[in-house]
């Protein structure tokens, strides 16, 4: 048999990885109420393209929404379980290999924002920007690291109900004339 095409082999390479994101929701000025929840949305930073997959092998979407978890015993703190973000080798398409290591690395930037309620007296923390670095080290598993400080995953809201009362009074004197001054 002299047909060389019958002996060709084709190898493939694939890799994926994930990162679990967790933070804390804190209230100042009052405790969490029973069944109270707060909602957060993760989106690619404005003007950037970044994958958002919340399931391995899942389709990338434009955002991911999560709700706060269980409230701590002190009543002022709650866990935020953002869940996992999954990355695939195709997310590194177009990235050149490092000439020395052969690795490919890309940083993805996201914004985490809290959905604001109509609660009077509640002030909300500003949006948070985070960066996640994805590296293909040719091991079959993508290395995924949070490059931002972990405090960027936590939010503190303040509650300060403002109340006021207007009092009006009149003075009446009996038995003599009211002196001026």
């Amino acid at each position: 048999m002299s047909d060389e095409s019958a002996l060709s082999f084709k190898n493939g390479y694939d890799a994926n990885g994930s990162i679990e994101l967790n933070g804390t929701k804190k209230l100042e000025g009052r405790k969490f109420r029973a069944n109270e929840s707060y909602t957060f949305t993760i989106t690619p930073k404005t003007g950037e393209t970044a994958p958002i997959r919340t399931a391995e092998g899942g389709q990338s979407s434009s955002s991911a929404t999560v709700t706060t978890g269980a409230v701590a015993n002190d009543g002022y703190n709650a866990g935020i379980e953002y869940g996992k973000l999954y990355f695939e080798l195709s997310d590194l398409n177009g990235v050149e290999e490092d000439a020395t290591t052969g690795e490919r690395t890309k940083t993805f930037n996201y914004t985490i924002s809290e959905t604001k309620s109509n609660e009077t007296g509640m002030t909300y923390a500003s949006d948070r920007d985070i960066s996640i670095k994805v590296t293909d080290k040719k091991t079959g598993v993508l290395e995924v690291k949070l490059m931002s400080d972990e405090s960027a995953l936590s939010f503190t809201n303040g509650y300060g109900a403002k109340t006021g009362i207007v009092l009006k009074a009149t003075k009446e004197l009996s038995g003599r004339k009211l002196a001026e001054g």
Side-chain angles (χ1 to χ4, degrees), residues 130-144:
I130 63 168
S131 297
I132 297 174
K133 183 170 87 171
V134 179
T135 303
D136 177 19
K137 293 187 170 193
K138 306 297 184 188
T139 63
V141 177
L142 297 177
E143 179 181 87
V144 183

Side-chain angles (χ1 to χ4, degrees), residues 9-178:
F9 294 92
K10 183 176 181 179
N11 292 328
Y13 172 75
D14 198 13
N16 55 48
S18 64
I19 186 168
E20 185 148 358
L21 301 174
N22 295 300
T24 304
K25 171 69 176 178
K26 182 177 180 181
L27 283 182
E28 293 178 345
R30 74 163 175 82
K31 291 184 176 188
F32 280 93
R33 296 181 182 124
N35 301 314
E36 185 170 34
S37 64
Y38 292 85
T39 302
F40 300 87
T41 304
I42 301 173
T43 55
K45 193 168 178 179
T46 303
E48 296 192 27
T49 303
I52 296 182
R53 283 184 208 86
T54 55
E56 190 170 3
Q59 293 291 322
S60 185
S61 65
S62 61
S63 67
T65 302
V66 297
T67 303
T68 53
V71 175
N73 291 337
D74 69 0
Y76 293 100
N77 296 286
I80 305 172
E81 296 175 1
Y82 296 103
K84 284 187 179 181
L85 288 181
Y86 292 88
F87 296 87
E88 299 175 350
L89 188 60
S90 63
D91 296 328
L92 299 177
N93 284 350
V95 176
E96 297 283 328
E97 286 187 358
D98 180 276
T100 305
T101 64
E103 296 176 356
R104 294 189 304 156
T105 298
K106 185 172 183 178
T107 300
F108 297 98
N109 299 299
Y110 299 91
T111 298
I112 303 175
S113 56
E114 181 176 7
T115 303
K116 294 163 182 54
S117 72
N118 295 331
E119 183 173 356
T120 302
M122 186 67 70
T123 56
Y124 290 87
S126 59
D127 292 352
R128 302 285 197 262
D129 290 332
I130 63 168
S131 297
I132 297 174
K133 183 170 87 171
V134 179
T135 303
D136 177 19
K137 293 187 170 193
K138 306 297 184 188
T139 63
V141 177
L142 297 177
E143 179 181 87
V144 183
K145 291 184 176 181
L146 178 65
M147 300 309 292
S148 307
D149 187 280
E150 287 192 12
S151 66
L153 300 172
S154 296
F155 288 77
T156 299
N157 290 1
Y159 180 77
K162 295 184 182 2
T163 60
I165 185 168
V166 177
L167 299 174
K168 289 188 175 186
T170 58
K171 184 175 183 179
E172 189 175 308
L173 182 62
S174 62
R176 74 173 175 88
K177 197 174 196 182
L178 184 61

